[in-house]
Amino acid sequence: MSAHILLTTLALALVAGPLGCFVVWRRMAYFGDGLAHSALLGVAIGLVIGVSDQIGMMAIAIIFALSLIWLRAKRVLATDTLLGILAHAALSLGVVAMTLLGAGDVEVHDYLLGSLDAVTQDMAVWVIAGSGLSLGLLMRLWPGLILMTTSEDLAHAEGVHIVRYEFALMVLMGVVVAASIQLVGILLITSLLIIPASTARLFARSPEAMAIGGSAIASVCMLIGLPLAENFELATGPVIVCVLVAGFMLLLMAHLATRKG
Amino acid sequence: MSAEVSPTDHLITIRDLSVVKQGQTILDAVSLDIAKHDFITLIGPNGAGKTVLLRHLLKLETPHAGTVHHQSGLKIGYVPQRVSIDPSLPMTVQRFLTVNNDVTSAQLDSLATETKVSHLLNSPLADLSGGELQRVLLTRALAGKPNLLILDEPAQNLDVNGQLQFYTMIDEIYESRKLSVLMVSHDLHLVMSSTRKVVCLFRHICCSGAPESVARDPEFISIFGDDMAKLMAVYPHSHAHDHDHDHHHSSPSEES
């Protein structure tokens, strides 16, 4: 495995731990799926106006988050309904646009399930910078985000600007989803966030332990999964998720066994 | 709220606060002052606008009409009605009490002794009983060294004994720390037995003053006739008097 892929992987794994915790705590899994689905539209838009995939995906992610916040404030439909409409509208538009633009089936397939070939050196720089910035912002906002997750009322009364924090979290998810799509693929991106955090929850006693544990688990599993995918010429996303699930099952059984004894 | 203190002594001054939501008047020209070392209990039936008034007191919302003024240097300690901890969030009491503030461990120890939560510091927040959780929330509110404590129905989920203990603790803190307290309460039987100031809200401030004078106020009786009867019914000593309340079934609060 080449150095740039190794660094990309580690950068993504590090930010997936803490960010994944918020996806679990704040029940944002469906939002993550929605963001991922909309990413294909971002790729199509990137192709049309001639910017890179990542910039297209991030722009769409921010529009997606803003649309959701705006529609949710109207209080007409439930959040999961709104997410379903937005996500599938973006996915369908994306697939139609990609096909009309002449992107072949193979390329769409890579976006859906992830591929090592897609991780170029230029992209690696982008992903590492994006992950690093996201991790830095997440650490800065951490205390306020934790208080807000424990009690929104309390955080609000103690001066945490809830709307700004929530928007920041959504944008961070947009950045990380955009950054990890080539490696893990649109269909499986949410599991990269959810499974490490859930595995860490089994033994964590504090929010910080769960975040760091999540990063460690994501790193180990991705470093096991990627060479396997390379050797057997498999799509990277499904292999990584298989390893993550195996790790989760193993620790779940250990957790249940120690609790009984 | 006493008349003899000058307005500059007021921690919070509310003038003619009106709130309209979806065409419905929630608050109508409410004026209220909270002075140093006041102890105000805010009562009112469901839908009277208590929570909305509290949110404006905390400046969580912007008034449609009227003003809410905070004295400079005002520090509010807020105890929410309840917090529901998602089981996926691992959080000990100690971590909860020190997140997003600058409380030192020495300060935490003395605070925890004051509110009787020292033995709980290493417990997960999700495992606490209702009374323990309220004391932990109170501890967090006190950690910011407030000069005003605002509590939103703090004893709602406690049994009668737990309510009594919690209110006693609030009383002790009020006396020892010389702070002001504003508390929303449904526990009329406990409110009425204390000597503190009571403000009765039903979209506007109907009446305020000492409990015995408020209880005699015609507007209070017309609003609370039925609610009062219901609340008194949970009070053990009132069972024998249930028949006293039978004739209250057409109060204005039921028509709205």
Side-chain angles (χ1 to χ4, degrees):
Chain A
M1 207 164 35
S2 53
H4 72 273
I5 290 183
L6 190 69
L7 288 173
T8 306
T9 306
L10 284 175
L12 283 176
L14 281 182
V15 72
L19 194 61
C21 287
F22 286 109
V23 180
V24 171
W25 295 331
R26 300 182 64 80
R27 300 169 188 216
M28 294 171 80
Y30 201 28
F31 174 75
D33 268 345
L35 272 182
H37 286 161
S38 72
L40 210 56
L41 182 60
V43 176
I45 287 172
L47 282 176
V48 173
I49 60 177
V51 295
S52 76
D53 291 356
Q54 270 74 28
I55 292 176
M57 286 191 274
M58 270 199 52
I60 286 294
I62 290 171
I63 292 171
F64 188 91
L66 284 173
S67 312
L68 181 69
I69 290 173
W70 180 72
L71 285 169
R72 205 172 50 178
K74 302 274 167 226
R75 293 176 182 280
V76 179
L77 292 166
T79 305
D80 60 340
T81 309
L82 292 171
L83 273 172
I85 295 171
L86 285 172
H88 293 141
L91 178 63
S92 308
L93 271 173
V95 171
V96 169
M98 290 276 282
T99 315
L100 288 179
L101 288 167
D105 287 346
V106 177
E107 200 172 340
V108 175
H109 183 267
D110 282 354
Y111 280 112
L112 290 180
L113 293 174
S115 144
L116 275 178
D117 300 336
V119 186
T120 60
Q121 289 207 14
D122 285 353
M123 202 207 108
V125 172
W126 194 96
V127 170
I128 292 162
S131 308
L133 279 174
S134 301
L135 194 60
L137 186 59
L138 207 51
M139 282 163 75
R140 216 182 113 78
L141 299 179
W142 186 261
L145 283 171
I146 294 290
L147 183 60
M148 177 172 112
T149 303
T150 315
S151 165
E152 210 143 283
D153 275 355
L154 198 59
H156 198 166
E158 291 186 18
V160 176
H161 202 302
I162 303 290
V163 179
R164 272 183 223 164
Y165 271 66
E166 198 166 37
F167 181 62
L169 208 52
M170 287 178 169
V171 171
L172 282 174
M173 273 186 75
V175 172
V176 172
V177 164
S180 40
I181 267 181
Q182 259 95 354
L183 207 58
V184 188
I186 286 168
L187 293 180
L188 296 169
I189 204 100
T190 313
S191 45
L192 177 66
L193 294 169
I194 288 180
I195 302 175
S198 304
T199 311
R201 173 64 187 101
L202 296 173
F203 51 81
R205 291 265 296 156
S206 73
E208 292 73 24
M210 182 163 155
I212 295 166
S215 295
I217 290 159
S219 304
V220 170
C221 292
M222 284 175 86
L223 289 180
I224 294 172
L226 284 178
L228 284 176
E230 204 173 17
N231 281 345
F232 297 100
E233 291 180 11
L234 295 164
T236 44
V239 177
I240 290 173
V241 173
C242 285
V243 178
L244 283 170
V245 171
F248 175 73
M249 297 301 288
L250 213 65
L251 282 161
L252 180 67
M253 281 189 279
H255 173 72
L256 293 176
T258 50
R259 217 170 48 168
K260 270 180 204 155
Chain B
M1 293 235 354
S2 27
E4 62 268 25
V5 289
S6 73
T8 50
D9 279 344
H10 292 156
L11 298 174
I12 296 184
T13 314
I14 295 184
R15 285 293 170 268
D16 298 319
L17 173 67
S18 293
V19 176
V20 179
K21 275 184 183 169
Q22 284 147 359
Q24 282 221 311
T25 303
I26 311 285
L27 292 177
D28 183 20
V30 170
S31 293
L32 178 70
D33 296 325
I34 303 174
K36 277 179 190 158
H37 209 47
D38 262 350
F39 194 124
I40 300 172
T41 307
L42 186 66
I43 58 171
N46 286 330
K50 299 187 299 288
T51 303
V52 174
L53 179 57
L54 217 62
R55 292 181 66 81
H56 281 275
L57 277 169
L58 292 162
K59 287 201 171 185
L60 297 183
E61 286 181 34
T62 321
H64 301 79
T67 56
V68 177
H69 180 254
H70 283 189
Q71 189 189 61
S72 67
L74 173 69
K75 274 190 187 163
I76 298 177
Y78 172 55
V79 179
Q81 212 172 87
R82 59 171 175 270
V83 297
S84 50
I85 308 298
D86 194 296
S88 67
L89 177 65
M91 180 83 100
T92 61
V93 170
Q94 170 142 12
R95 183 76 190 99
F96 171 67
L97 291 173
T98 52
V99 70
N100 206 35
N101 58 23
D102 43 17
V103 175
T104 65
S105 61
Q107 287 168 332
L108 182 65
D109 285 346
S110 83
L111 268 174
T113 312
E114 191 179 353
T115 53
K116 303 190 177 80
V117 296
S118 301
H119 61 296
L120 299 171
L121 288 178
N122 290 316
S123 309
L125 207 52
D127 290 358
L128 301 186
S129 73
E132 289 168 342
L133 187 59
Q134 283 313 123
R135 294 208 303 279
V136 168
L137 289 173
L138 177 64
T139 314
R140 181 167 174 101
L142 291 173
K145 299 190 189 75
N147 37 23
L148 169 63
L149 206 51
I150 293 185
L151 306 101
D152 188 3
E153 299 186 27
Q156 200 190 24
N157 301 311
L158 310 186
D159 57 28
V160 176
N161 200 24
Q163 289 177 354
L164 212 58
Q165 282 174 0
F166 190 77
Y167 285 135
T168 308
M169 181 175 280
I170 299 288
D171 260 8
E172 285 166 10
I173 287 165
Y174 164 73
E175 295 295 351
S176 65
R177 289 180 170 248
K178 302 279 174 235
L179 38 67
S180 306
V181 175
L182 181 120
M183 180 161 69
V184 174
S185 180
H186 263 146
D187 309 311
L188 284 180
H189 53 286
L190 287 172
V191 172
M192 289 305 177
S193 66
S194 85
T195 56
R196 311 289 188 208
K197 179 167 187 119
V198 174
V199 172
C200 171
L201 183 78
F202 189 59
R203 294 191 195 115
H204 64 287
I205 290 180
C206 314
C207 46
S208 65
E212 56 270 30
S213 73
V214 166
R216 278 196 300 271
D217 192 289
E219 203 171 358
F220 174 86
I221 295 166
S222 74
I223 289 168
F224 272 101
D226 259 47
D227 285 58
M228 185 72 156
K230 280 178 207 143
L231 279 155
M232 294 309 270
V234 302
Y235 190 50
H237 302 295
S238 67
H239 290 312
H241 307 296
D242 277 350
H243 59 273
D244 288 349
H245 304 292
D246 286 347
H247 55 276
H248 281 305
H249 36 248
S250 60
S251 77
S253 61
E254 275 194 339
E255 289 160 25
S256 55

